[in-house]
Amino acid sequence: MQITRQVAEQNNMIKVTSLLVEIGQFSGVEPHALEFAWEFVSKGTVAEGSTLEIERPPLVLFCTHCLIEYPGDMEDLRCPNCKDEVFEIRKGREMLVRSISGDKKTEKE
Amino acid sequence: MTEQKIIPSEVKVVRLEEEILAANDVVAAENRELLRQKSVYTINLISSPGSGKTTLLVETLKALRGKLRCAVIEGDQQTSNDADRIAQTGVPVVQINTIGNCHLDAPLVQKALAQLPLDEIDLLFIENVGNLVCPAGYDLGEQEKVVVMSVTEGEDKPIKYPLAFHLATVMVLTKVDLLPYLKFDKDLCIEMAHRIHPGLPVIETSSYTKEGLADWVDWLLKKCA
Ligand SMILES: Nc1nc2c(ncn2[C@@H]2O[C@H](COP(=O)(O)OP(=O)(O)O)[C@@H](O)[C@H]2O)c(=O)[nH]1
Ligand SMILES: [Mg+2]
Ligand SMILES: [Zn+2]
């Protein structure tokens, strides 16, 4: 919300109509919960009634032993090849506002 | 004649790629730096409600008396019940009521830190709001996240809430005194935790029988050494 308000101000927006956000599968945030919360916090602000478009990048892991990337199984993060202990999260923890769209205040003769 | 007209529908798209938690992370970094300067070791306790965090803390604080100077930040949506229980041990405690929020964030913790005698503290526990989802996502400036889970919760908590278990550096399995009365497959639970976090140390405790408390206290003492 803080980000949205700032952007709206800086860009002379009179109304924020939609937001594109990226919420990784392994970010700990549930899209439904976010939509619900957004409706609540945006009430009475420039962003009231705006739509949230949520991208959900899947979890991608990397095994530092086999040097392979593999899709993360949310119930078992270990490397399917070696079941090794050392893996890195390559994707899936993102929480980003990618873009904000709105109507701009314009005065014309 | 010229007429002033407002054209309302000029659509503007602003590209951002901005981290949603950037503001939180900035404050978390400030907290971490302050705690480092004051040599305060900080632990963020994350669990479901009722897993036994406050009870474990009370026993832990008693066991650490005379060994480490402790303090506690209590996060709850409402009430100061938990802070009152901690205060009875004589340790400094600050209660944060998050009201509508299901987690603590770094600015709330920053305010609480201002109320603590940091120069006289070695080990600070932050009892997060009972919830395994949101608290995991918010860095508070702590050194370690500790996930607390009781044997009454079902074996599959680690795979239902993987982020908390993935980020924790130790898992405390509480209420093991109840194991004889439950159909709780402890080995399966630990195995599931290890699918999410291979090698995660698990400390089994009971705040009633005091079983395992010494292991937990040793773990803390080692961290603060
Ligand atoms: N049997 C048993 N019950 C416990 C133990 N620790 C806590 N409890 C009970 O679990 C309930 C919740 O404990 P509490 O510490 O308030 O949990 P919190 O919400 O995680 O802070 C209370 O009724 C405690 O008495 C334990 O080691 N064994
Ligand atoms: Mg509690
Ligand atoms: Zn591997």
Side-chain angles (χ1 to χ4, degrees), chain A residues 27-28 75 77-78 87 95-104 106 108-109, chain B residues 3 5 7-8 10-12 14 16-18 20 133 159 163 166 195-196 198:
Chain A
S27 65
E75 299 190 357
L77 305 187
R78 294 169 302 176
F87 51 77
M95 281 180 77
L96 297 170
V97 182
R98 303 211 55 179
S99 66
I100 294 181
S101 316
D103 296 337
K104 199 178 166 186
T106 37
K108 246 187 150 183
E109 283 155 71
Chain B
E3 211 185 323
K5 242 198 304 196
I7 301 176
E10 188 185 323
V11 177
K12 165 124 189 167
V14 182
L16 281 170
E17 307 296 330
E18 183 157 346
I20 290 175
V133 188
I159 60 172
L163 186 60
H166 182 70
R195 287 182 208 166
I196 300 303

PDB file of all heavy atoms in Angstrom, chain A residues 27-28 75 77-78 87 95-104 106 108-109, chain B residues 3 5 7-8 10-12 14 16-18 20 133 159 163 166 195-196 198:
ATOM      1  N   SER A  27       6.893 -17.991  -0.968  1.00  0.00           N
ATOM      2  CA  SER A  27       7.075 -16.706  -0.286  1.00  0.00           C
ATOM      3  C   SER A  27       6.366 -16.700   1.051  1.00  0.00           C
ATOM      4  O   SER A  27       6.574 -15.806   1.864  1.00  0.00           O
ATOM      5  CB  SER A  27       6.507 -15.585  -1.144  1.00  0.00           C
ATOM      6  OG  SER A  27       5.104 -15.748  -1.266  1.00  0.00           O
ATOM      7  N   GLY A  28       5.513 -17.681   1.279  1.00  0.00           N
ATOM      8  CA  GLY A  28       4.759 -17.693   2.529  1.00  0.00           C
ATOM      9  C   GLY A  28       3.465 -16.909   2.429  1.00  0.00           C
ATOM     10  O   GLY A  28       2.722 -16.821   3.390  1.00  0.00           O
ATOM     11  N   GLU A  75       6.479 -30.252  -0.864  1.00  0.00           N
ATOM     12  CA  GLU A  75       6.466 -31.148   0.287  1.00  0.00           C
ATOM     13  C   GLU A  75       7.778 -31.880   0.467  1.00  0.00           C
ATOM     14  O   GLU A  75       7.937 -32.674   1.393  1.00  0.00           O
ATOM     15  CB  GLU A  75       5.306 -32.153   0.141  1.00  0.00           C
ATOM     16  CG  GLU A  75       3.973 -31.432   0.096  1.00  0.00           C
ATOM     17  CD  GLU A  75       2.791 -32.359   0.194  1.00  0.00           C
ATOM     18  OE1 GLU A  75       3.008 -33.579   0.236  1.00  0.00           O
ATOM     19  OE2 GLU A  75       1.662 -31.859   0.231  1.00  0.00           O
ATOM     20  N   LEU A  77      11.808 -30.754  -0.532  1.00  0.00           N
ATOM     21  CA  LEU A  77      12.670 -29.834  -1.279  1.00  0.00           C
ATOM     22  C   LEU A  77      13.984 -30.474  -1.724  1.00  0.00           C
ATOM     23  O   LEU A  77      14.751 -29.866  -2.446  1.00  0.00           O
ATOM     24  CB  LEU A  77      13.000 -28.606  -0.413  1.00  0.00           C
ATOM     25  CG  LEU A  77      11.833 -27.808   0.172  1.00  0.00           C
ATOM     26  CD1 LEU A  77      12.362 -26.539   0.835  1.00  0.00           C
ATOM     27  CD2 LEU A  77      10.814 -27.448  -0.896  1.00  0.00           C
ATOM     28  N   ARG A  78      14.234 -31.711  -1.293  1.00  0.00           N
ATOM     29  CA  ARG A  78      15.551 -32.292  -1.567  1.00  0.00           C
ATOM     30  C   ARG A  78      15.744 -32.607  -3.049  1.00  0.00           C
ATOM     31  O   ARG A  78      14.789 -32.826  -3.778  1.00  0.00           O
ATOM     32  CB  ARG A  78      15.733 -33.570  -0.739  1.00  0.00           C
ATOM     33  CG  ARG A  78      15.787 -33.290   0.758  1.00  0.00           C
ATOM     34  CD  ARG A  78      15.684 -34.567   1.541  1.00  0.00           C
ATOM     35  NE  ARG A  78      14.461 -35.284   1.226  1.00  0.00           N
ATOM     36  CZ  ARG A  78      14.162 -36.478   1.716  1.00  0.00           C
ATOM     37  NH1 ARG A  78      15.007 -37.089   2.522  1.00  0.00           N
ATOM     38  NH2 ARG A  78      13.025 -37.055   1.406  1.00  0.00           N
ATOM     39  N   PHE A  87      21.042 -27.343  -0.990  1.00  0.00           N
ATOM     40  CA  PHE A  87      20.396 -26.832  -2.195  1.00  0.00           C
ATOM     41  C   PHE A  87      20.157 -25.353  -1.993  1.00  0.00           C
ATOM     42  O   PHE A  87      20.140 -24.850  -0.878  1.00  0.00           O
ATOM     43  CB  PHE A  87      19.096 -27.573  -2.485  1.00  0.00           C
ATOM     44  CG  PHE A  87      18.159 -27.646  -1.314  1.00  0.00           C
ATOM     45  CD1 PHE A  87      17.395 -26.552  -0.947  1.00  0.00           C
ATOM     46  CD2 PHE A  87      18.061 -28.814  -0.561  1.00  0.00           C
ATOM     47  CE1 PHE A  87      16.537 -26.621   0.141  1.00  0.00           C
ATOM     48  CE2 PHE A  87      17.200 -28.885   0.525  1.00  0.00           C
ATOM     49  CZ  PHE A  87      16.439 -27.797   0.880  1.00  0.00           C
ATOM     50  N   MET A  95       8.556 -11.522  -3.843  1.00  0.00           N
ATOM     51  CA  MET A  95       7.377 -10.722  -3.487  1.00  0.00           C
ATOM     52  C   MET A  95       7.614  -9.345  -4.052  1.00  0.00           C
ATOM     53  O   MET A  95       8.290  -8.526  -3.446  1.00  0.00           O
ATOM     54  CB  MET A  95       7.241 -10.621  -1.967  1.00  0.00           C
ATOM     55  CG  MET A  95       6.638 -11.860  -1.344  1.00  0.00           C
ATOM     56  SD  MET A  95       6.512 -11.655   0.415  1.00  0.00           S
ATOM     57  CE  MET A  95       5.105 -10.601   0.533  1.00  0.00           C
ATOM     58  N   LEU A  96       7.090  -9.104  -5.233  1.00  0.00           N
ATOM     59  CA  LEU A  96       7.376  -7.864  -5.942  1.00  0.00           C
ATOM     60  C   LEU A  96       6.101  -7.195  -6.423  1.00  0.00           C
ATOM     61  O   LEU A  96       5.144  -7.876  -6.765  1.00  0.00           O
ATOM     62  CB  LEU A  96       8.200  -8.150  -7.209  1.00  0.00           C
ATOM     63  CG  LEU A  96       9.575  -8.753  -7.144  1.00  0.00           C
ATOM     64  CD1 LEU A  96      10.009  -9.132  -8.549  1.00  0.00           C
ATOM     65  CD2 LEU A  96      10.535  -7.758  -6.555  1.00  0.00           C
ATOM     66  N   VAL A  97       6.151  -5.866  -6.467  1.00  0.00           N
ATOM     67  CA  VAL A  97       5.142  -5.150  -7.246  1.00  0.00           C
ATOM     68  C   VAL A  97       5.792  -4.923  -8.598  1.00  0.00           C
ATOM     69  O   VAL A  97       6.805  -4.245  -8.695  1.00  0.00           O
ATOM     70  CB  VAL A  97       4.790  -3.776  -6.632  1.00  0.00           C
ATOM     71  CG1 VAL A  97       3.705  -3.115  -7.465  1.00  0.00           C
ATOM     72  CG2 VAL A  97       4.326  -3.935  -5.213  1.00  0.00           C
ATOM     73  N   ARG A  98       5.268  -5.525  -9.643  1.00  0.00           N
ATOM     74  CA  ARG A  98       5.896  -5.389 -10.956  1.00  0.00           C
ATOM     75  C   ARG A  98       5.478  -4.097 -11.637  1.00  0.00           C
ATOM     76  O   ARG A  98       6.293  -3.423 -12.242  1.00  0.00           O
ATOM     77  CB  ARG A  98       5.554  -6.589 -11.831  1.00  0.00           C
ATOM     78  CG  ARG A  98       5.971  -7.900 -11.169  1.00  0.00           C
ATOM     79  CD  ARG A  98       6.336  -8.927 -12.163  1.00  0.00           C
ATOM     80  NE  ARG A  98       7.371  -8.416 -13.044  1.00  0.00           N
ATOM     81  CZ  ARG A  98       7.910  -9.129 -14.012  1.00  0.00           C
ATOM     82  NH1 ARG A  98       7.512 -10.352 -14.228  1.00  0.00           N
ATOM     83  NH2 ARG A  98       8.843  -8.612 -14.769  1.00  0.00           N
ATOM     84  N   SER A  99       4.223  -3.772 -11.566  1.00  0.00           N
ATOM     85  CA  SER A  99       3.788  -2.516 -12.170  1.00  0.00           C
ATOM     86  C   SER A  99       2.467  -2.068 -11.577  1.00  0.00           C
ATOM     87  O   SER A  99       1.731  -2.858 -10.985  1.00  0.00           O
ATOM     88  CB  SER A  99       3.660  -2.653 -13.685  1.00  0.00           C
ATOM     89  OG  SER A  99       2.622  -3.550 -13.978  1.00  0.00           O
ATOM     90  N   ILE A 100       2.223  -0.790 -11.737  1.00  0.00           N
ATOM     91  CA  ILE A 100       0.989  -0.189 -11.240  1.00  0.00           C
ATOM     92  C   ILE A 100       0.363   0.598 -12.383  1.00  0.00           C
ATOM     93  O   ILE A 100       1.052   1.373 -13.042  1.00  0.00           O
ATOM     94  CB  ILE A 100       1.292   0.743 -10.042  1.00  0.00           C
ATOM     95  CG1 ILE A 100       1.805  -0.100  -8.866  1.00  0.00           C
ATOM     96  CG2 ILE A 100       0.055   1.544  -9.643  1.00  0.00           C
ATOM     97  CD1 ILE A 100       2.111   0.703  -7.623  1.00  0.00           C
ATOM     98  N   SER A 101      -0.901   0.387 -12.645  1.00  0.00           N
ATOM     99  CA  SER A 101      -1.580   1.140 -13.704  1.00  0.00           C
ATOM    100  C   SER A 101      -2.659   2.004 -13.092  1.00  0.00           C
ATOM    101  O   SER A 101      -3.321   1.605 -12.140  1.00  0.00           O
ATOM    102  CB  SER A 101      -2.251   0.211 -14.716  1.00  0.00           C
ATOM    103  OG  SER A 101      -1.402  -0.846 -15.042  1.00  0.00           O
ATOM    104  N   GLY A 102      -2.810   3.182 -13.702  1.00  0.00           N
ATOM    105  CA  GLY A 102      -3.850   4.055 -13.182  1.00  0.00           C
ATOM    106  C   GLY A 102      -4.198   5.145 -14.169  1.00  0.00           C
ATOM    107  O   GLY A 102      -3.587   5.260 -15.221  1.00  0.00           O
ATOM    108  N   ASP A 103      -5.201   5.923 -13.802  1.00  0.00           N
ATOM    109  CA  ASP A 103      -5.597   7.049 -14.646  1.00  0.00           C
ATOM    110  C   ASP A 103      -4.814   8.267 -14.210  1.00  0.00           C
ATOM    111  O   ASP A 103      -4.741   8.577 -13.024  1.00  0.00           O
ATOM    112  CB  ASP A 103      -7.097   7.318 -14.472  1.00  0.00           C
ATOM    113  CG  ASP A 103      -7.914   6.135 -14.952  1.00  0.00           C
ATOM    114  OD1 ASP A 103      -7.384   5.365 -15.779  1.00  0.00           O
ATOM    115  OD2 ASP A 103      -9.051   5.978 -14.476  1.00  0.00           O
ATOM    116  N   LYS A 104      -4.285   8.958 -15.219  1.00  0.00           N
ATOM    117  CA  LYS A 104      -3.455  10.117 -14.916  1.00  0.00           C
ATOM    118  C   LYS A 104      -4.280  11.394 -15.032  1.00  0.00           C
ATOM    119  O   LYS A 104      -5.112  11.528 -15.914  1.00  0.00           O
ATOM    120  CB  LYS A 104      -2.284  10.163 -15.886  1.00  0.00           C
ATOM    121  CG  LYS A 104      -1.159  11.018 -15.396  1.00  0.00           C
ATOM    122  CD  LYS A 104      -0.006  10.987 -16.361  1.00  0.00           C
ATOM    123  CE  LYS A 104       0.964  12.100 -16.028  1.00  0.00           C
ATOM    124  NZ  LYS A 104       2.019  12.219 -17.009  1.00  0.00           N
ATOM    125  N   THR A 106      -4.794  14.822 -16.258  1.00  0.00           N
ATOM    126  CA  THR A 106      -4.223  15.623 -17.327  1.00  0.00           C
ATOM    127  C   THR A 106      -5.109  16.820 -17.585  1.00  0.00           C
ATOM    128  O   THR A 106      -6.337  16.715 -17.650  1.00  0.00           O
ATOM    129  CB  THR A 106      -4.102  14.849 -18.656  1.00  0.00           C
ATOM    130  OG1 THR A 106      -5.235  14.013 -18.781  1.00  0.00           O
ATOM    131  CG2 THR A 106      -2.822  14.066 -18.715  1.00  0.00           C
ATOM    132  N   LYS A 108      -5.875  19.816 -20.298  1.00  0.00           N
ATOM    133  CA  LYS A 108      -5.604  20.155 -21.694  1.00  0.00           C
ATOM    134  C   LYS A 108      -6.459  21.321 -22.107  1.00  0.00           C
ATOM    135  O   LYS A 108      -7.529  21.546 -21.571  1.00  0.00           O
ATOM    136  CB  LYS A 108      -5.939  18.947 -22.579  1.00  0.00           C
ATOM    137  CG  LYS A 108      -4.718  18.354 -23.248  1.00  0.00           C
ATOM    138  CD  LYS A 108      -5.177  17.301 -24.215  1.00  0.00           C
ATOM    139  CE  LYS A 108      -4.242  17.156 -25.384  1.00  0.00           C
ATOM    140  NZ  LYS A 108      -4.783  16.180 -26.320  1.00  0.00           N
ATOM    141  N   GLU A 109      -5.927  22.062 -23.061  1.00  0.00           N
ATOM    142  CA  GLU A 109      -6.715  23.194 -23.522  1.00  0.00           C
ATOM    143  C   GLU A 109      -7.742  22.742 -24.533  1.00  0.00           C
ATOM    144  O   GLU A 109      -7.507  21.844 -25.296  1.00  0.00           O
ATOM    145  CB  GLU A 109      -5.809  24.238 -24.190  1.00  0.00           C
ATOM    146  CG  GLU A 109      -5.073  25.020 -23.151  1.00  0.00           C
ATOM    147  CD  GLU A 109      -3.780  25.599 -23.728  1.00  0.00           C
ATOM    148  OE1 GLU A 109      -3.850  26.519 -24.536  1.00  0.00           O
ATOM    149  OE2 GLU A 109      -2.741  25.050 -23.374  1.00  0.00           O
TER     150      GLU A 109
ATOM    151  N   GLU B   3     -11.097  26.005 -23.800  1.00  0.00           N
ATOM    152  CA  GLU B   3     -11.861  25.392 -22.711  1.00  0.00           C
ATOM    153  C   GLU B   3     -10.938  24.454 -21.939  1.00  0.00           C
ATOM    154  O   GLU B   3     -10.163  23.718 -22.536  1.00  0.00           O
ATOM    155  CB  GLU B   3     -13.006  24.604 -23.328  1.00  0.00           C
ATOM    156  CG  GLU B   3     -14.231  24.543 -22.457  1.00  0.00           C
ATOM    157  CD  GLU B   3     -15.270  23.634 -23.092  1.00  0.00           C
ATOM    158  OE1 GLU B   3     -15.378  23.653 -24.332  1.00  0.00           O
ATOM    159  OE2 GLU B   3     -15.911  22.902 -22.361  1.00  0.00           O
ATOM    160  N   LYS B   5     -10.236  21.240 -20.169  1.00  0.00           N
ATOM    161  CA  LYS B   5     -10.873  19.926 -20.158  1.00  0.00           C
ATOM    162  C   LYS B   5     -10.001  18.927 -19.390  1.00  0.00           C
ATOM    163  O   LYS B   5      -8.783  18.955 -19.505  1.00  0.00           O
ATOM    164  CB  LYS B   5     -11.063  19.434 -21.595  1.00  0.00           C
ATOM    165  CG  LYS B   5     -12.534  19.232 -21.941  1.00  0.00           C
ATOM    166  CD  LYS B   5     -12.751  18.353 -23.158  1.00  0.00           C
ATOM    167  CE  LYS B   5     -12.049  18.816 -24.425  1.00  0.00           C
ATOM    168  NZ  LYS B   5     -12.517  18.212 -25.656  1.00  0.00           N
ATOM    169  N   ILE B   7      -9.107  15.183 -19.223  1.00  0.00           N
ATOM    170  CA  ILE B   7      -9.308  13.886 -19.876  1.00  0.00           C
ATOM    171  C   ILE B   7      -8.990  12.818 -18.845  1.00  0.00           C
ATOM    172  O   ILE B   7      -7.846  12.672 -18.431  1.00  0.00           O
ATOM    173  CB  ILE B   7      -8.389  13.737 -21.101  1.00  0.00           C
ATOM    174  CG1 ILE B   7      -8.692  14.879 -22.075  1.00  0.00           C
ATOM    175  CG2 ILE B   7      -8.600  12.387 -21.755  1.00  0.00           C
ATOM    176  CD1 ILE B   7      -7.806  14.913 -23.284  1.00  0.00           C
ATOM    177  N   PRO B   8      -9.990  12.142 -18.381  1.00  0.00           N
ATOM    178  CA  PRO B   8      -9.785  11.294 -17.210  1.00  0.00           C
ATOM    179  C   PRO B   8      -9.102   9.973 -17.520  1.00  0.00           C
ATOM    180  O   PRO B   8      -8.474   9.387 -16.661  1.00  0.00           O
ATOM    181  CB  PRO B   8     -11.201  11.057 -16.689  1.00  0.00           C
ATOM    182  CG  PRO B   8     -12.077  11.219 -17.896  1.00  0.00           C
ATOM    183  CD  PRO B   8     -11.361  12.075 -18.879  1.00  0.00           C
ATOM    184  N   GLU B  10      -6.525   8.887 -19.292  1.00  0.00           N
ATOM    185  CA  GLU B  10      -5.182   8.636 -19.794  1.00  0.00           C
ATOM    186  C   GLU B  10      -4.547   7.596 -18.880  1.00  0.00           C
ATOM    187  O   GLU B  10      -4.266   7.838 -17.722  1.00  0.00           O
ATOM    188  CB  GLU B  10      -4.324   9.899 -19.794  1.00  0.00           C
ATOM    189  CG  GLU B  10      -3.011   9.635 -20.495  1.00  0.00           C
ATOM    190  CD  GLU B  10      -2.071  10.825 -20.429  1.00  0.00           C
ATOM    191  OE1 GLU B  10      -2.541  11.967 -20.517  1.00  0.00           O
ATOM    192  OE2 GLU B  10      -0.866  10.583 -20.269  1.00  0.00           O
ATOM    193  N   VAL B  11      -4.328   6.446 -19.448  1.00  0.00           N
ATOM    194  CA  VAL B  11      -3.846   5.353 -18.616  1.00  0.00           C
ATOM    195  C   VAL B  11      -2.337   5.390 -18.536  1.00  0.00           C
ATOM    196  O   VAL B  11      -1.647   5.594 -19.527  1.00  0.00           O
ATOM    197  CB  VAL B  11      -4.308   3.992 -19.170  1.00  0.00           C
ATOM    198  CG1 VAL B  11      -3.738   2.859 -18.330  1.00  0.00           C
ATOM    199  CG2 VAL B  11      -5.826   3.935 -19.178  1.00  0.00           C
ATOM    200  N   LYS B  12      -1.873   5.225 -17.366  1.00  0.00           N
ATOM    201  CA  LYS B  12      -0.424   5.257 -17.172  1.00  0.00           C
ATOM    202  C   LYS B  12      -0.017   3.953 -16.494  1.00  0.00           C
ATOM    203  O   LYS B  12      -0.624   3.528 -15.514  1.00  0.00           O
ATOM    204  CB  LYS B  12      -0.095   6.464 -16.296  1.00  0.00           C
ATOM    205  CG  LYS B  12       1.270   6.454 -15.723  1.00  0.00           C
ATOM    206  CD  LYS B  12       2.029   7.711 -16.086  1.00  0.00           C
ATOM    207  CE  LYS B  12       3.468   7.543 -15.658  1.00  0.00           C
ATOM    208  NZ  LYS B  12       4.356   8.522 -16.187  1.00  0.00           N
ATOM    209  N   VAL B  14       3.149   2.185 -14.647  1.00  0.00           N
ATOM    210  CA  VAL B  14       4.471   2.412 -14.079  1.00  0.00           C
ATOM    211  C   VAL B  14       5.128   1.071 -13.790  1.00  0.00           C
ATOM    212  O   VAL B  14       4.582   0.256 -13.046  1.00  0.00           O
ATOM    213  CB  VAL B  14       4.376   3.236 -12.772  1.00  0.00           C
ATOM    214  CG1 VAL B  14       5.751   3.521 -12.217  1.00  0.00           C
ATOM    215  CG2 VAL B  14       3.617   4.520 -13.013  1.00  0.00           C
ATOM    216  N   LEU B  16       7.870  -1.168 -12.023  1.00  0.00           N
ATOM    217  CA  LEU B  16       8.512  -0.959 -10.732  1.00  0.00           C
ATOM    218  C   LEU B  16       9.544  -2.013 -10.344  1.00  0.00           C
ATOM    219  O   LEU B  16      10.655  -1.712  -9.976  1.00  0.00           O
ATOM    220  CB  LEU B  16       7.446  -0.988  -9.642  1.00  0.00           C
ATOM    221  CG  LEU B  16       6.620   0.253  -9.461  1.00  0.00           C
ATOM    222  CD1 LEU B  16       5.491  -0.071  -8.522  1.00  0.00           C
ATOM    223  CD2 LEU B  16       7.468   1.356  -8.890  1.00  0.00           C
ATOM    224  N   GLU B  17       9.098  -3.265 -10.353  1.00  0.00           N
ATOM    225  CA  GLU B  17       9.935  -4.370  -9.855  1.00  0.00           C
ATOM    226  C   GLU B  17      10.390  -4.079  -8.428  1.00  0.00           C
ATOM    227  O   GLU B  17      11.552  -4.223  -8.093  1.00  0.00           O
ATOM    228  CB  GLU B  17      11.157  -4.601 -10.758  1.00  0.00           C
ATOM    229  CG  GLU B  17      10.840  -4.790 -12.233  1.00  0.00           C
ATOM    230  CD  GLU B  17      10.019  -6.041 -12.529  1.00  0.00           C
ATOM    231  OE1 GLU B  17      10.152  -7.028 -11.782  1.00  0.00           O
ATOM    232  OE2 GLU B  17       9.223  -6.008 -13.486  1.00  0.00           O
ATOM    233  N   GLU B  18       9.481  -3.599  -7.613  1.00  0.00           N
ATOM    234  CA  GLU B  18       9.877  -3.224  -6.254  1.00  0.00           C
ATOM    235  C   GLU B  18       9.489  -4.294  -5.240  1.00  0.00           C
ATOM    236  O   GLU B  18       8.372  -4.797  -5.224  1.00  0.00           O
ATOM    237  CB  GLU B  18       9.229  -1.897  -5.874  1.00  0.00           C
ATOM    238  CG  GLU B  18       9.690  -1.447  -4.505  1.00  0.00           C
ATOM    239  CD  GLU B  18       9.562   0.044  -4.264  1.00  0.00           C
ATOM    240  OE1 GLU B  18       9.367   0.804  -5.215  1.00  0.00           O
ATOM    241  OE2 GLU B  18       9.665   0.421  -3.089  1.00  0.00           O
ATOM    242  N   ILE B  20       8.117  -5.936  -2.172  1.00  0.00           N
ATOM    243  CA  ILE B  20       7.022  -5.527  -1.298  1.00  0.00           C
ATOM    244  C   ILE B  20       7.516  -5.329   0.133  1.00  0.00           C
ATOM    245  O   ILE B  20       7.088  -4.430   0.835  1.00  0.00           O
ATOM    246  CB  ILE B  20       5.877  -6.565  -1.352  1.00  0.00           C
ATOM    247  CG1 ILE B  20       5.206  -6.482  -2.720  1.00  0.00           C
ATOM    248  CG2 ILE B  20       4.873  -6.344  -0.229  1.00  0.00           C
ATOM    249  CD1 ILE B  20       4.143  -7.519  -2.983  1.00  0.00           C
ATOM    250  N   VAL B 133       2.429 -19.089   9.138  1.00  0.00           N
ATOM    251  CA  VAL B 133       2.514 -18.586   7.766  1.00  0.00           C
ATOM    252  C   VAL B 133       3.242 -17.237   7.702  1.00  0.00           C
ATOM    253  O   VAL B 133       4.425 -17.176   7.372  1.00  0.00           O
ATOM    254  CB  VAL B 133       1.118 -18.468   7.114  1.00  0.00           C
ATOM    255  CG1 VAL B 133       1.242 -18.135   5.639  1.00  0.00           C
ATOM    256  CG2 VAL B 133       0.349 -19.767   7.284  1.00  0.00           C
ATOM    257  N   ILE B 159       5.399 -30.039   6.281  1.00  0.00           N
ATOM    258  CA  ILE B 159       5.155 -29.940   4.839  1.00  0.00           C
ATOM    259  C   ILE B 159       3.932 -29.088   4.527  1.00  0.00           C
ATOM    260  O   ILE B 159       3.740 -28.667   3.401  1.00  0.00           O
ATOM    261  CB  ILE B 159       5.060 -31.326   4.157  1.00  0.00           C
ATOM    262  CG1 ILE B 159       3.937 -32.167   4.739  1.00  0.00           C
ATOM    263  CG2 ILE B 159       6.382 -32.080   4.310  1.00  0.00           C
ATOM    264  CD1 ILE B 159       3.706 -33.448   3.944  1.00  0.00           C
ATOM    265  N   LEU B 163       7.804 -23.019   4.640  1.00  0.00           N
ATOM    266  CA  LEU B 163       8.746 -21.887   4.719  1.00  0.00           C
ATOM    267  C   LEU B 163       9.303 -21.719   6.128  1.00  0.00           C
ATOM    268  O   LEU B 163      10.507 -21.537   6.315  1.00  0.00           O
ATOM    269  CB  LEU B 163       8.072 -20.591   4.239  1.00  0.00           C
ATOM    270  CG  LEU B 163       8.986 -19.377   4.139  1.00  0.00           C
ATOM    271  CD1 LEU B 163      10.133 -19.623   3.165  1.00  0.00           C
ATOM    272  CD2 LEU B 163       8.209 -18.127   3.736  1.00  0.00           C
ATOM    273  N   HIS B 166      11.765 -24.327   6.736  1.00  0.00           N
ATOM    274  CA  HIS B 166      12.959 -24.164   5.906  1.00  0.00           C
ATOM    275  C   HIS B 166      13.886 -23.094   6.472  1.00  0.00           C
ATOM    276  O   HIS B 166      15.107 -23.225   6.449  1.00  0.00           O
ATOM    277  CB  HIS B 166      12.562 -23.812   4.476  1.00  0.00           C
ATOM    278  CG  HIS B 166      13.739 -23.669   3.573  1.00  0.00           C
ATOM    279  ND1 HIS B 166      14.490 -24.759   3.187  1.00  0.00           N
ATOM    280  CD2 HIS B 166      14.334 -22.582   3.047  1.00  0.00           C
ATOM    281  CE1 HIS B 166      15.489 -24.334   2.434  1.00  0.00           C
ATOM    282  NE2 HIS B 166      15.418 -23.018   2.337  1.00  0.00           N
ATOM    283  N   ARG B 195      12.651 -33.313   4.944  1.00  0.00           N
ATOM    284  CA  ARG B 195      12.397 -33.158   3.507  1.00  0.00           C
ATOM    285  C   ARG B 195      12.457 -31.697   3.122  1.00  0.00           C
ATOM    286  O   ARG B 195      12.803 -31.329   2.019  1.00  0.00           O
ATOM    287  CB  ARG B 195      10.990 -33.660   3.160  1.00  0.00           C
ATOM    288  CG  ARG B 195      10.852 -35.155   3.185  1.00  0.00           C
ATOM    289  CD  ARG B 195       9.435 -35.509   2.776  1.00  0.00           C
ATOM    290  NE  ARG B 195       9.042 -36.762   3.375  1.00  0.00           N
ATOM    291  CZ  ARG B 195       7.796 -37.202   3.417  1.00  0.00           C
ATOM    292  NH1 ARG B 195       6.815 -36.475   2.899  1.00  0.00           N
ATOM    293  NH2 ARG B 195       7.519 -38.352   3.962  1.00  0.00           N
ATOM    294  N   ILE B 196      12.044 -30.849   4.056  1.00  0.00           N
ATOM    295  CA  ILE B 196      11.988 -29.412   3.797  1.00  0.00           C
ATOM    296  C   ILE B 196      13.318 -28.767   4.160  1.00  0.00           C
ATOM    297  O   ILE B 196      13.754 -27.802   3.548  1.00  0.00           O
ATOM    298  CB  ILE B 196      10.858 -28.780   4.663  1.00  0.00           C
ATOM    299  CG1 ILE B 196       9.510 -29.402   4.323  1.00  0.00           C
ATOM    300  CG2 ILE B 196      10.826 -27.271   4.535  1.00  0.00           C
ATOM    301  CD1 ILE B 196       9.122 -29.296   2.869  1.00  0.00           C
ATOM    302  N   PRO B 198      16.840 -30.433   5.180  1.00  0.00           N
ATOM    303  CA  PRO B 198      17.728 -31.541   5.542  1.00  0.00           C
ATOM    304  C   PRO B 198      18.685 -31.139   6.659  1.00  0.00           C
ATOM    305  O   PRO B 198      19.214 -30.028   6.649  1.00  0.00           O
ATOM    306  CB  PRO B 198      18.489 -31.815   4.240  1.00  0.00           C
ATOM    307  CG  PRO B 198      17.610 -31.279   3.163  1.00  0.00           C
ATOM    308  CD  PRO B 198      16.897 -30.104   3.754  1.00  0.00           C
TER     309      PRO B 198
END
